[in-house]
Amino acid sequence: MNEQASIRAAVIGVGHLGRHHARILSTLPGVTLAGIVDQNPERAKDIAAAHATSVIPDAGSLIGRVDAVVVATPTASHAQVAGPLLRAGVSVLVEKPMARSLAEADELIEAARAGHATLAVGHTERFNPAVAAARDRLTAPRFIEVHRLGTFPDRSLDIDVVFDLMIHDLDVILSIVGSAVAAIDAVGVPVLTPKIDIANVRLRFENGCIANLTASRISRDRTRKIRFFQPDSYVSVDYAAQELEVWRLVRPPAGLPGIEGGLVPVQQEEPLKRELEDFVEAVRTQRPPVVPGEDGRRALALAEDVTSRMTTVR
Ligand code: NAD
């Protein structure tokens, strides 16, 4: 691809999240928002009009008209929608979880290979500026504590909370710990739906690191926090506030060690914008995206392992 040429992009599925992809793509330099696809025609028309672009009747009609597509339809249709595009050489950013099953995830990875197309997965928290700033300070986390709690939503109730919410943290942790999972202990409770609404998971990694994660969609308040404990420091990220706190152990020549640190300044920015900038740059320069299909598959595989080992309390 000519590195100077404008990327022609489209969004398929402009519901709760996809409309933000459309908004951001319509303002990114070097990108032309070339069309919107949604099976709800009114919604497609409204979002296309808001960003001065066209409604395209179906995903297949994008082939030959665009270089890159964001697929933000419900997860059940990701493979069916994204597969043919990738195979035809259209690069795709597919929302998380990347597919319904590992077999479908493999199909997408294979389709991208066959079409020489870029496949990125929308694990947005990787682009959270506070997570990016924390990464340099994480040398040897021994213990990780995560709380991702929210109020009851009107979407994604057809999947366990592990696939909807916890998968964000599973992906972040896998990208930081750099070791295989050795053991999983998990418990889940279906409270308001027949699916797991609140879950607690303890992961033990081969390098000894322990991660304890709680995800809930039935809480009163919204919390999005991940905390890392290392031999010489404590690193705390508030995903929602994009805040980073770092406390270090200081050892004087004699006497007890002290602790110093506090909030670290973070340049706040919309994670979704950073994710789309990375995707567009990956398509333009043909470098791998920050979250390639293989990473989306890795997070999905762990989410599947967690749910298959989960004790369900009714
Ligand atoms: P939503 O139901 O609000 O929107 C989905 C849209 O897709 C709707 O407008 C629907 O009409 C359209 N649609 C459905 N099937 C289609 C098809 N086959 N072709 C064209 N259009 C179709 O859903 P949502 O909450 O926006 O979630 C969409 C995806 O984004 C899910 O995979 C979800 O897990 C993911 N998501 C990711 C994040 C994140 O933080 N990265 C946040 C929320 C949702």
mmCIF file of all heavy atoms in Angstrom, residues 80-129:
data_model
loop_
_atom_site.group_PDB
_atom_site.id
_atom_site.type_symbol
_atom_site.label_atom_id
_atom_site.label_comp_id
_atom_site.label_asym_id
_atom_site.label_seq_id
_atom_site.Cartn_x
_atom_site.Cartn_y
_atom_site.Cartn_z
ATOM 1 N N GLN A 80 -18.461 -14.635 10.699
ATOM 2 C CA GLN A 80 -19.225 -14.652 9.455
ATOM 3 C C GLN A 80 -19.072 -13.311 8.699
ATOM 4 O O GLN A 80 -19.000 -13.285 7.468
ATOM 5 C CB GLN A 80 -20.681 -14.907 9.852
ATOM 6 C CG GLN A 80 -21.728 -14.813 8.811
ATOM 7 C CD GLN A 80 -23.068 -14.447 9.480
ATOM 8 O OE1 GLN A 80 -23.325 -14.781 10.647
ATOM 9 N NE2 GLN A 80 -23.906 -13.752 8.740
ATOM 10 N N VAL A 81 -19.002 -12.212 9.443
ATOM 11 C CA VAL A 81 -18.891 -10.898 8.792
ATOM 12 C C VAL A 81 -17.438 -10.617 8.382
ATOM 13 O O VAL A 81 -17.162 -10.161 7.263
ATOM 14 C CB VAL A 81 -19.398 -9.779 9.754
ATOM 15 C CG1 VAL A 81 -19.113 -8.395 9.204
ATOM 16 C CG2 VAL A 81 -20.883 -9.944 10.025
ATOM 17 N N ALA A 82 -16.488 -10.888 9.296
ATOM 18 C CA ALA A 82 -15.095 -10.482 9.043
ATOM 19 C C ALA A 82 -14.346 -11.443 8.126
ATOM 20 O O ALA A 82 -13.470 -11.020 7.368
ATOM 21 C CB ALA A 82 -14.352 -10.355 10.378
ATOM 22 N N GLY A 83 -14.685 -12.750 8.184
ATOM 23 C CA GLY A 83 -13.939 -13.760 7.424
ATOM 24 C C GLY A 83 -13.827 -13.452 5.925
ATOM 25 O O GLY A 83 -12.712 -13.346 5.393
ATOM 26 N N PRO A 84 -14.960 -13.284 5.231
ATOM 27 C CA PRO A 84 -14.892 -13.027 3.782
ATOM 28 C C PRO A 84 -14.124 -11.735 3.439
ATOM 29 O O PRO A 84 -13.453 -11.667 2.412
ATOM 30 C CB PRO A 84 -16.370 -12.903 3.376
ATOM 31 C CG PRO A 84 -17.117 -13.642 4.444
ATOM 32 C CD PRO A 84 -16.348 -13.453 5.701
ATOM 33 N N LEU A 85 -14.222 -10.728 4.305
ATOM 34 C CA LEU A 85 -13.498 -9.468 4.042
ATOM 35 C C LEU A 85 -11.993 -9.709 4.091
ATOM 36 O O LEU A 85 -11.242 -9.297 3.205
ATOM 37 C CB LEU A 85 -13.894 -8.400 5.075
ATOM 38 C CG LEU A 85 -15.342 -7.912 5.002
ATOM 39 C CD1 LEU A 85 -15.682 -7.078 6.228
ATOM 40 C CD2 LEU A 85 -15.557 -7.084 3.735
ATOM 41 N N LEU A 86 -11.549 -10.394 5.152
ATOM 42 C CA LEU A 86 -10.114 -10.668 5.316
ATOM 43 C C LEU A 86 -9.598 -11.477 4.133
ATOM 44 O O LEU A 86 -8.541 -11.179 3.555
ATOM 45 C CB LEU A 86 -9.869 -11.430 6.624
ATOM 46 C CG LEU A 86 -10.039 -10.607 7.907
ATOM 47 C CD1 LEU A 86 -10.183 -11.532 9.116
ATOM 48 C CD2 LEU A 86 -8.851 -9.661 8.112
ATOM 49 N N ARG A 87 -10.353 -12.485 3.760
ATOM 50 C CA ARG A 87 -9.960 -13.366 2.659
ATOM 51 C C ARG A 87 -9.825 -12.578 1.353
ATOM 52 O O ARG A 87 -8.996 -12.894 0.499
ATOM 53 C CB ARG A 87 -11.023 -14.472 2.499
ATOM 54 C CG ARG A 87 -10.441 -15.832 2.274
ATOM 55 C CD ARG A 87 -11.455 -16.929 2.446
ATOM 56 N NE ARG A 87 -11.385 -17.527 3.761
ATOM 57 C CZ ARG A 87 -10.403 -18.309 4.179
ATOM 58 N NH1 ARG A 87 -9.393 -18.595 3.394
ATOM 59 N NH2 ARG A 87 -10.404 -18.801 5.413
ATOM 60 N N ALA A 88 -10.645 -11.520 1.236
ATOM 61 C CA ALA A 88 -10.603 -10.689 0.015
ATOM 62 C C ALA A 88 -9.530 -9.598 0.128
ATOM 63 O O ALA A 88 -9.444 -8.729 -0.742
ATOM 64 C CB ALA A 88 -11.976 -10.066 -0.214
ATOM 65 N N GLY A 89 -8.754 -9.611 1.215
ATOM 66 C CA GLY A 89 -7.649 -8.650 1.327
ATOM 67 C C GLY A 89 -8.008 -7.357 2.041
ATOM 68 O O GLY A 89 -7.217 -6.409 2.053
ATOM 69 N N VAL A 90 -9.210 -7.294 2.650
ATOM 70 C CA VAL A 90 -9.599 -6.094 3.401
ATOM 71 C C VAL A 90 -9.141 -6.269 4.849
ATOM 72 O O VAL A 90 -9.440 -7.292 5.472
ATOM 73 C CB VAL A 90 -11.136 -5.893 3.374
ATOM 74 C CG1 VAL A 90 -11.533 -4.668 4.186
ATOM 75 C CG2 VAL A 90 -11.638 -5.795 1.940
ATOM 76 N N SER A 91 -8.404 -5.301 5.387
ATOM 77 C CA SER A 91 -7.943 -5.397 6.775
ATOM 78 C C SER A 91 -9.108 -5.162 7.723
ATOM 79 O O SER A 91 -10.009 -4.369 7.426
ATOM 80 C CB SER A 91 -6.836 -4.374 7.023
ATOM 81 O OG SER A 91 -5.705 -4.752 6.271
ATOM 82 N N VAL A 92 -9.071 -5.845 8.876
ATOM 83 C CA VAL A 92 -10.211 -5.779 9.805
ATOM 84 C C VAL A 92 -9.736 -5.563 11.239
ATOM 85 O O VAL A 92 -8.816 -6.234 11.708
ATOM 86 C CB VAL A 92 -11.049 -7.085 9.743
ATOM 87 C CG1 VAL A 92 -12.108 -7.102 10.840
ATOM 88 C CG2 VAL A 92 -11.716 -7.258 8.376
ATOM 89 N N LEU A 93 -10.395 -4.619 11.913
ATOM 90 C CA LEU A 93 -10.310 -4.525 13.367
ATOM 91 C C LEU A 93 -11.618 -5.107 13.877
ATOM 92 O O LEU A 93 -12.690 -4.533 13.645
ATOM 93 C CB LEU A 93 -10.167 -3.066 13.815
ATOM 94 C CG LEU A 93 -10.385 -2.781 15.306
ATOM 95 C CD1 LEU A 93 -9.334 -3.459 16.167
ATOM 96 C CD2 LEU A 93 -10.369 -1.299 15.596
ATOM 97 N N VAL A 94 -11.539 -6.267 14.540
ATOM 98 C CA VAL A 94 -12.758 -6.914 15.011
ATOM 99 C C VAL A 94 -12.860 -6.681 16.517
ATOM 100 O O VAL A 94 -11.856 -6.758 17.234
ATOM 101 C CB VAL A 94 -12.765 -8.420 14.644
ATOM 102 C CG1 VAL A 94 -11.639 -9.193 15.295
ATOM 103 C CG2 VAL A 94 -14.091 -9.075 14.999
ATOM 104 N N GLU A 95 -14.066 -6.358 16.957
ATOM 105 C CA GLU A 95 -14.241 -6.082 18.394
ATOM 106 C C GLU A 95 -13.986 -7.341 19.246
ATOM 107 O O GLU A 95 -13.982 -8.456 18.753
ATOM 108 C CB GLU A 95 -15.656 -5.534 18.651
ATOM 109 C CG GLU A 95 -15.692 -4.028 18.735
ATOM 110 C CD GLU A 95 -14.658 -3.468 19.713
ATOM 111 O OE1 GLU A 95 -14.330 -4.133 20.702
ATOM 112 O OE2 GLU A 95 -14.161 -2.358 19.473
ATOM 113 N N LYS A 96 -13.754 -7.140 20.537
ATOM 114 C CA LYS A 96 -13.557 -8.266 21.454
ATOM 115 C C LYS A 96 -14.899 -8.739 21.977
ATOM 116 O O LYS A 96 -15.829 -7.931 21.996
ATOM 117 C CB LYS A 96 -12.613 -7.903 22.611
ATOM 118 C CG LYS A 96 -12.968 -6.703 23.463
ATOM 119 C CD LYS A 96 -14.224 -6.488 24.146
ATOM 120 C CE LYS A 96 -14.906 -7.345 25.109
ATOM 121 N NZ LYS A 96 -16.214 -6.768 25.556
ATOM 122 N N PRO A 97 -15.098 -9.957 22.420
ATOM 123 C CA PRO A 97 -14.216 -11.082 22.143
ATOM 124 C C PRO A 97 -14.205 -11.357 20.641
ATOM 125 O O PRO A 97 -15.231 -11.186 19.980
ATOM 126 C CB PRO A 97 -14.848 -12.231 22.924
ATOM 127 C CG PRO A 97 -16.204 -11.784 23.328
ATOM 128 C CD PRO A 97 -16.302 -10.324 23.160
ATOM 129 N N MET A 98 -13.040 -11.793 20.105
ATOM 130 C CA MET A 98 -12.889 -11.763 18.645
ATOM 131 C C MET A 98 -13.860 -12.704 17.938
ATOM 132 O O MET A 98 -14.175 -12.476 16.774
ATOM 133 C CB MET A 98 -11.445 -12.056 18.230
ATOM 134 C CG MET A 98 -11.013 -13.483 18.297
ATOM 135 S SD MET A 98 -9.254 -13.685 17.831
ATOM 136 C CE MET A 98 -9.283 -13.608 16.060
ATOM 137 N N ALA A 99 -14.335 -13.751 18.628
ATOM 138 C CA ALA A 99 -15.267 -14.691 18.008
ATOM 139 C C ALA A 99 -15.954 -15.484 19.106
ATOM 140 O O ALA A 99 -15.627 -15.353 20.283
ATOM 141 C CB ALA A 99 -14.511 -15.616 17.065
ATOM 142 N N ARG A 100 -16.896 -16.343 18.663
ATOM 143 C CA ARG A 100 -17.652 -17.167 19.621
ATOM 144 C C ARG A 100 -16.852 -18.345 20.122
ATOM 145 O O ARG A 100 -17.135 -18.909 21.166
ATOM 146 C CB ARG A 100 -18.876 -17.747 18.907
ATOM 147 C CG ARG A 100 -20.123 -16.990 19.074
ATOM 148 C CD ARG A 100 -21.236 -17.730 18.403
ATOM 149 N NE ARG A 100 -20.924 -18.080 17.027
ATOM 150 C CZ ARG A 100 -21.830 -18.322 16.098
ATOM 151 N NH1 ARG A 100 -23.095 -18.272 16.411
ATOM 152 N NH2 ARG A 100 -21.489 -18.630 14.867
ATOM 153 N N SER A 101 -15.877 -18.802 19.330
ATOM 154 C CA SER A 101 -15.159 -20.034 19.667
ATOM 155 C C SER A 101 -13.730 -19.920 19.145
ATOM 156 O O SER A 101 -13.431 -19.090 18.279
ATOM 157 C CB SER A 101 -15.843 -21.222 19.005
ATOM 158 O OG SER A 101 -15.721 -21.087 17.590
ATOM 159 N N LEU A 102 -12.873 -20.809 19.647
ATOM 160 C CA LEU A 102 -11.492 -20.818 19.161
ATOM 161 C C LEU A 102 -11.441 -21.233 17.697
ATOM 162 O O LEU A 102 -10.602 -20.752 16.935
ATOM 163 C CB LEU A 102 -10.636 -21.752 20.011
ATOM 164 C CG LEU A 102 -10.414 -21.277 21.448
ATOM 165 C CD1 LEU A 102 -9.552 -22.277 22.200
ATOM 166 C CD2 LEU A 102 -9.779 -19.894 21.473
ATOM 167 N N ALA A 103 -12.352 -22.116 17.294
ATOM 168 C CA ALA A 103 -12.382 -22.536 15.882
ATOM 169 C C ALA A 103 -12.657 -21.326 14.994
ATOM 170 O O ALA A 103 -12.016 -21.133 13.956
ATOM 171 C CB ALA A 103 -13.446 -23.614 15.688
ATOM 172 N N GLU A 104 -13.592 -20.476 15.411
ATOM 173 C CA GLU A 104 -13.887 -19.266 14.621
ATOM 174 C C GLU A 104 -12.720 -18.290 14.662
ATOM 175 O O GLU A 104 -12.423 -17.622 13.660
ATOM 176 C CB GLU A 104 -15.151 -18.589 15.167
ATOM 177 C CG GLU A 104 -16.433 -19.263 14.758
ATOM 178 C CD GLU A 104 -17.668 -18.460 15.155
ATOM 179 O OE1 GLU A 104 -17.547 -17.427 15.866
ATOM 180 O OE2 GLU A 104 -18.759 -18.869 14.763
ATOM 181 N N ALA A 105 -12.059 -18.199 15.802
ATOM 182 C CA ALA A 105 -10.891 -17.303 15.903
ATOM 183 C C ALA A 105 -9.804 -17.779 14.931
ATOM 184 O O ALA A 105 -9.179 -16.969 14.226
ATOM 185 C CB ALA A 105 -10.367 -17.285 17.343
ATOM 186 N N ASP A 106 -9.608 -19.086 14.879
ATOM 187 C CA ASP A 106 -8.613 -19.649 13.952
ATOM 188 C C ASP A 106 -8.987 -19.349 12.501
ATOM 189 O O ASP A 106 -8.128 -19.051 11.675
ATOM 190 C CB ASP A 106 -8.471 -21.164 14.165
ATOM 191 C CG ASP A 106 -7.747 -21.472 15.472
ATOM 192 O OD1 ASP A 106 -6.991 -20.610 15.947
ATOM 193 O OD2 ASP A 106 -7.955 -22.582 16.008
ATOM 194 N N GLU A 107 -10.278 -19.438 12.213
ATOM 195 C CA GLU A 107 -10.742 -19.133 10.847
ATOM 196 C C GLU A 107 -10.362 -17.710 10.465
ATOM 197 O O GLU A 107 -9.926 -17.446 9.348
ATOM 198 C CB GLU A 107 -12.275 -19.201 10.809
ATOM 199 C CG GLU A 107 -12.867 -20.524 10.381
ATOM 200 C CD GLU A 107 -14.389 -20.467 10.576
ATOM 201 O OE1 GLU A 107 -15.048 -19.519 10.081
ATOM 202 O OE2 GLU A 107 -14.874 -21.379 11.250
ATOM 203 N N LEU A 108 -10.541 -16.780 11.409
ATOM 204 C CA LEU A 108 -10.223 -15.374 11.109
ATOM 205 C C LEU A 108 -8.725 -15.181 10.897
ATOM 206 O O LEU A 108 -8.304 -14.460 9.990
ATOM 207 C CB LEU A 108 -10.726 -14.466 12.245
ATOM 208 C CG LEU A 108 -12.242 -14.322 12.342
ATOM 209 C CD1 LEU A 108 -12.633 -13.381 13.485
ATOM 210 C CD2 LEU A 108 -12.806 -13.776 11.025
ATOM 211 N N ILE A 109 -7.920 -15.839 11.735
ATOM 212 C CA ILE A 109 -6.456 -15.708 11.599
ATOM 213 C C ILE A 109 -6.019 -16.277 10.243
ATOM 214 O O ILE A 109 -5.213 -15.677 9.527
ATOM 215 C CB ILE A 109 -5.761 -16.411 12.793
ATOM 216 C CG1 ILE A 109 -6.044 -15.628 14.082
ATOM 217 C CG2 ILE A 109 -4.261 -16.557 12.551
ATOM 218 C CD1 ILE A 109 -5.630 -16.341 15.356
ATOM 219 N N GLU A 110 -6.605 -17.394 9.881
ATOM 220 C CA GLU A 110 -6.278 -18.042 8.602
ATOM 221 C C GLU A 110 -6.751 -17.167 7.427
ATOM 222 O O GLU A 110 -6.030 -17.002 6.427
ATOM 223 C CB GLU A 110 -6.921 -19.443 8.582
ATOM 224 C CG GLU A 110 -6.998 -20.139 7.255
ATOM 225 C CD GLU A 110 -5.681 -20.182 6.480
ATOM 226 O OE1 GLU A 110 -4.615 -20.134 7.116
ATOM 227 O OE2 GLU A 110 -5.745 -20.223 5.228
ATOM 228 N N ALA A 111 -7.925 -16.589 7.547
ATOM 229 C CA ALA A 111 -8.454 -15.737 6.469
ATOM 230 C C ALA A 111 -7.538 -14.527 6.260
ATOM 231 O O ALA A 111 -7.275 -14.127 5.123
ATOM 232 C CB ALA A 111 -9.870 -15.281 6.811
ATOM 233 N N ALA A 112 -7.042 -13.951 7.360
ATOM 234 C CA ALA A 112 -6.140 -12.784 7.246
ATOM 235 C C ALA A 112 -4.854 -13.192 6.538
ATOM 236 O O ALA A 112 -4.328 -12.456 5.694
ATOM 237 C CB ALA A 112 -5.840 -12.221 8.636
ATOM 238 N N ARG A 113 -4.344 -14.371 6.883
ATOM 239 C CA ARG A 113 -3.120 -14.874 6.249
ATOM 240 C C ARG A 113 -3.344 -15.057 4.738
ATOM 241 O O ARG A 113 -2.574 -14.591 3.919
ATOM 242 C CB ARG A 113 -2.748 -16.215 6.882
ATOM 243 C CG ARG A 113 -1.306 -16.226 7.346
ATOM 244 C CD ARG A 113 -0.992 -17.497 8.097
ATOM 245 N NE ARG A 113 -0.819 -17.213 9.513
ATOM 246 C CZ ARG A 113 -1.205 -18.010 10.495
ATOM 247 N NH1 ARG A 113 -1.779 -19.159 10.234
ATOM 248 N NH2 ARG A 113 -0.994 -17.664 11.744
ATOM 249 N N ALA A 114 -4.473 -15.709 4.424
ATOM 250 C CA ALA A 114 -4.766 -16.002 3.016
ATOM 251 C C ALA A 114 -4.936 -14.709 2.207
ATOM 252 O O ALA A 114 -4.519 -14.638 1.051
ATOM 253 C CB ALA A 114 -6.016 -16.865 2.921
ATOM 254 N N GLY A 115 -5.545 -13.695 2.819
ATOM 255 C CA GLY A 115 -5.814 -12.453 2.091
ATOM 256 C C GLY A 115 -4.706 -11.422 2.233
ATOM 257 O O GLY A 115 -4.844 -10.303 1.745
ATOM 258 N N HIS A 116 -3.620 -11.770 2.947
ATOM 259 C CA HIS A 116 -2.526 -10.812 3.242
ATOM 260 C C HIS A 116 -3.106 -9.529 3.826
ATOM 261 O O HIS A 116 -2.734 -8.421 3.430
ATOM 262 C CB HIS A 116 -1.710 -10.494 1.975
ATOM 263 C CG HIS A 116 -1.152 -11.726 1.345
ATOM 264 N ND1 HIS A 116 -0.101 -12.420 1.883
ATOM 265 C CD2 HIS A 116 -1.520 -12.407 0.236
ATOM 266 C CE1 HIS A 116 0.146 -13.488 1.131
ATOM 267 N NE2 HIS A 116 -0.699 -13.505 0.137
ATOM 268 N N ALA A 117 -4.045 -9.698 4.744
ATOM 269 C CA ALA A 117 -4.708 -8.545 5.343
ATOM 270 C C ALA A 117 -4.305 -8.425 6.813
ATOM 271 O O ALA A 117 -3.887 -9.398 7.430
ATOM 272 C CB ALA A 117 -6.219 -8.720 5.233
ATOM 273 N N THR A 118 -4.442 -7.227 7.357
ATOM 274 C CA THR A 118 -4.151 -7.000 8.774
ATOM 275 C C THR A 118 -5.385 -7.378 9.595
ATOM 276 O O THR A 118 -6.499 -6.976 9.262
ATOM 277 C CB THR A 118 -3.849 -5.503 9.013
ATOM 278 O OG1 THR A 118 -2.719 -5.156 8.224
ATOM 279 C CG2 THR A 118 -3.578 -5.198 10.479
ATOM 280 N N LEU A 119 -5.166 -8.141 10.667
ATOM 281 C CA LEU A 119 -6.262 -8.474 11.587
ATOM 282 C C LEU A 119 -5.883 -7.964 12.974
ATOM 283 O O LEU A 119 -4.863 -8.372 13.538
ATOM 284 C CB LEU A 119 -6.487 -9.995 11.626
ATOM 285 C CG LEU A 119 -7.446 -10.510 12.712
ATOM 286 C CD1 LEU A 119 -8.844 -9.903 12.571
ATOM 287 C CD2 LEU A 119 -7.548 -12.050 12.664
ATOM 288 N N ALA A 120 -6.695 -7.034 13.487
ATOM 289 C CA ALA A 120 -6.472 -6.509 14.838
ATOM 290 C C ALA A 120 -7.719 -6.797 15.668
ATOM 291 O O ALA A 120 -8.818 -6.941 15.125
ATOM 292 C CB ALA A 120 -6.227 -5.010 14.781
ATOM 293 N N VAL A 121 -7.555 -6.911 16.987
ATOM 294 C CA VAL A 121 -8.691 -7.197 17.868
ATOM 295 C C VAL A 121 -8.850 -6.032 18.863
ATOM 296 O O VAL A 121 -7.847 -5.522 19.393
ATOM 297 C CB VAL A 121 -8.496 -8.545 18.600
ATOM 298 C CG1 VAL A 121 -9.739 -8.886 19.428
ATOM 299 C CG2 VAL A 121 -8.213 -9.665 17.605
ATOM 300 N N GLY A 122 -10.108 -5.661 19.106
ATOM 301 C CA GLY A 122 -10.395 -4.458 19.894
ATOM 302 C C GLY A 122 -10.263 -4.609 21.402
ATOM 303 O O GLY A 122 -11.207 -4.319 22.135
ATOM 304 N N HIS A 123 -9.085 -5.026 21.857
ATOM 305 C CA HIS A 123 -8.842 -5.052 23.303
ATOM 306 C C HIS A 123 -8.388 -3.656 23.724
ATOM 307 O O HIS A 123 -7.202 -3.369 23.897
ATOM 308 C CB HIS A 123 -7.830 -6.146 23.655
ATOM 309 C CG HIS A 123 -8.445 -7.504 23.675
ATOM 310 N ND1 HIS A 123 -9.334 -7.894 24.656
ATOM 311 C CD2 HIS A 123 -8.364 -8.546 22.820
ATOM 312 C CE1 HIS A 123 -9.758 -9.118 24.411
ATOM 313 N NE2 HIS A 123 -9.191 -9.539 23.299
ATOM 314 N N THR A 124 -9.393 -2.802 23.910
ATOM 315 C CA THR A 124 -9.179 -1.359 24.056
ATOM 316 C C THR A 124 -8.298 -0.972 25.242
ATOM 317 O O THR A 124 -7.592 0.030 25.187
ATOM 318 C CB THR A 124 -10.561 -0.682 24.218
ATOM 319 O OG1 THR A 124 -11.486 -1.360 23.387
ATOM 320 C CG2 THR A 124 -10.504 0.772 23.850
ATOM 321 N N GLU A 125 -8.357 -1.774 26.330
ATOM 322 C CA GLU A 125 -7.588 -1.379 27.525
ATOM 323 C C GLU A 125 -6.079 -1.374 27.268
ATOM 324 O O GLU A 125 -5.338 -0.714 27.970
ATOM 325 C CB GLU A 125 -7.909 -2.283 28.718
ATOM 326 C CG GLU A 125 -9.328 -2.198 29.236
ATOM 327 C CD GLU A 125 -9.721 -0.866 29.876
ATOM 328 O OE1 GLU A 125 -9.095 0.177 29.603
ATOM 329 O OE2 GLU A 125 -10.715 -0.898 30.638
ATOM 330 N N ARG A 126 -5.626 -2.105 26.261
ATOM 331 C CA ARG A 126 -4.193 -2.055 25.946
ATOM 332 C C ARG A 126 -3.778 -0.639 25.543
ATOM 333 O O ARG A 126 -2.610 -0.286 25.575
ATOM 334 C CB ARG A 126 -3.878 -2.988 24.800
ATOM 335 C CG ARG A 126 -3.895 -4.382 25.259
ATOM 336 C CD ARG A 126 -2.578 -5.016 25.441
ATOM 337 N NE ARG A 126 -2.812 -6.373 25.041
ATOM 338 C CZ ARG A 126 -2.106 -7.011 24.152
ATOM 339 N NH1 ARG A 126 -1.066 -6.449 23.611
ATOM 340 N NH2 ARG A 126 -2.409 -8.231 23.829
ATOM 341 N N PHE A 127 -4.780 0.132 25.068
ATOM 342 C CA PHE A 127 -4.486 1.478 24.570
ATOM 343 C C PHE A 127 -4.803 2.538 25.618
ATOM 344 O O PHE A 127 -4.698 3.721 25.343
ATOM 345 C CB PHE A 127 -5.261 1.731 23.269
ATOM 346 C CG PHE A 127 -4.859 0.779 22.192
ATOM 347 C CD1 PHE A 127 -5.518 -0.432 22.043
ATOM 348 C CD2 PHE A 127 -3.779 1.049 21.369
ATOM 349 C CE1 PHE A 127 -5.127 -1.346 21.076
ATOM 350 C CE2 PHE A 127 -3.369 0.141 20.409
ATOM 351 C CZ PHE A 127 -4.045 -1.059 20.261
ATOM 352 N N ASN A 128 -5.216 2.080 26.797
ATOM 353 C CA ASN A 128 -5.485 3.019 27.889
ATOM 354 C C ASN A 128 -4.152 3.669 28.268
ATOM 355 O O ASN A 128 -3.186 2.964 28.583
ATOM 356 C CB ASN A 128 -6.074 2.235 29.068
ATOM 357 C CG ASN A 128 -6.564 3.138 30.160
ATOM 358 O OD1 ASN A 128 -5.861 4.046 30.567
ATOM 359 N ND2 ASN A 128 -7.773 2.893 30.630
ATOM 360 N N PRO A 129 -4.053 5.005 28.222
ATOM 361 C CA PRO A 129 -2.770 5.648 28.487
ATOM 362 C C PRO A 129 -2.191 5.284 29.864
ATOM 363 O O PRO A 129 -0.966 5.212 30.020
ATOM 364 C CB PRO A 129 -3.087 7.142 28.418
ATOM 365 C CG PRO A 129 -4.317 7.233 27.590
ATOM 366 C CD PRO A 129 -5.103 5.976 27.854
#
